[in-house]
Amino acid sequence: MTTIANNLQQVLGRMAQACTAASRDPASVLLLAVSKTFGADAVTEAVAAGQRDFGENYIQEGVDKIIALRAAEPAVALQWHCIGPIQSNKTRLVAEHFDWVHTVDRLKIAERLSAQRPEHLAPLQICVQVNIDGGATKSGVAPADTLELVRAVAKLPRLVVRGIMSIPDHAPEFEAQRALHAGAKALFDQIAALQEPSLEHFDTLSLGMTADLEAAIHAGSTMVRVGTGIFGGRAYPAA
């Protein structure tokens, strides 16, 4: 078994244990393998180990891997999630290649994604990014403005609003982590409880990474985004 395959099994085991402790069905939480800075060969190893959902922070790097994997694994249906910031000049790449976007925090970006989504592709699945703890340097719409943005995005053609995503500040202990994630879960529940027709597919709470996936699952996450725990530590190029 390769290192990546072994790491995947360990992460899935952590997720299953967290679900059991939280009295949740392990099938209710999806693992998103975050492959930023790792090449297509690493993704291919994860695919061979059974992983099918991948998250990319850097758009051009992600597109290159999407194209490479489609050529190398044409019979395997993968889902590609854009989980990094999107500038206006990158929306076409995202709309043409990705299946999901987790980082919509402005209507302008959503409008461009909708207009540029090719007709032959399924609608783009959208999570609105929320700055749940108010970090001054972080992306995301304020919690008080989230419902307004969700409703506006839901009106756009070629997009389907699936839920919300958040990246709260790091907390060293489980209870502090869970408390941060609980704010996003409360907001998610408030919106889902409205049962508005345009939000019939509102079912996704994208929370948790390698260090805090247990706390996120306890709080109610339906999708955890794990990179280091699967692919190992990253080496970033010098600025």
Side-chain angles (χ1 to χ4, degrees):
M1 183 179 291
T2 67
T3 299
I4 289 175
N6 183 64
N7 289 348
L8 269 169
Q9 290 306 309
Q10 291 187 22
V11 170
L12 290 168
R14 287 175 60 190
M15 292 170 60
Q17 289 180 357
C19 285
T20 298
S23 300
R24 297 183 60 190
D25 180 354
S28 68
V29 187
L30 178 73
L31 173 59
L32 184 59
V34 179
S35 41
K36 69 176 182 181
T37 78
F38 289 91
D41 55 342
V43 177
T44 299
E45 284 190 44
V47 171
Q51 182 63 24
R52 294 295 181 264
D53 286 80
F54 293 90
E56 288 288 335
N57 294 69
Y58 307 130
I59 293 168
Q60 186 60 62
E61 177 190 321
V63 169
D64 292 343
K65 276 181 266 191
I66 291 169
I67 292 171
L69 265 293
R70 284 176 180 161
E73 306 279 355
V76 181
L78 304 179
Q79 290 284 296
W80 292 91
H81 301 239
C82 177
I83 61 172
I86 305 172
Q87 297 176 327
S88 294
N89 63 350
K90 297 290 187 181
T91 54
R92 184 173 295 278
L93 278 175
V94 175
E96 290 179 348
H97 293 279
F98 285 86
D99 303 293
W100 284 69
V101 178
H102 292 230
T103 50
V104 169
D105 62 0
R106 290 172 289 157
L107 183 57
K108 175 185 177 182
I109 294 299
E111 290 172 339
R112 291 178 64 86
L113 291 171
S114 175
Q116 295 167 347
R117 182 68 168 175
E119 289 289 336
H120 71 278
L121 295 179
L124 197 56
Q125 310 298 296
I126 301 293
C127 287
V128 167
Q129 183 173 358
V130 182
N131 186 354
I132 197 65
D133 52 355
T137 62
K138 293 192 302 187
S139 300
V141 64
D145 299 326
T146 301
L147 178 57
E148 179 182 359
L149 180 58
V150 164
R151 284 171 165 161
V153 174
K155 293 178 181 178
L156 298 172
R158 312 297 300 141
L159 305 181
V160 175
V161 178
R162 294 297 301 271
I164 62 175
M165 182 273 264
S166 188
I167 310 173
D169 284 338
H170 172 71
E173 297 178 353
F174 176 85
E175 285 302 330
Q177 294 169 356
R178 189 166 66 88
L180 287 170
H181 290 311
K185 175 63 161 81
L187 180 61
F188 172 83
D189 287 345
Q190 289 171 13
I191 297 173
L194 297 174
Q195 297 186 328
E196 297 182 2
S198 64
L199 301 178
E200 62 178 319
H201 300 293
F202 194 87
D203 60 1
T204 300
L205 183 57
S206 175
L207 291 176
M209 297 184 285
T210 299
D212 64 349
L213 69 85
E214 285 88 356
I217 288 171
H218 273 257
S221 174
T222 67
M223 189 182 296
V224 294
R225 310 177 303 270
V226 177
T228 302
I230 296 170
F231 296 103
R234 295 186 170 89
Y236 293 95

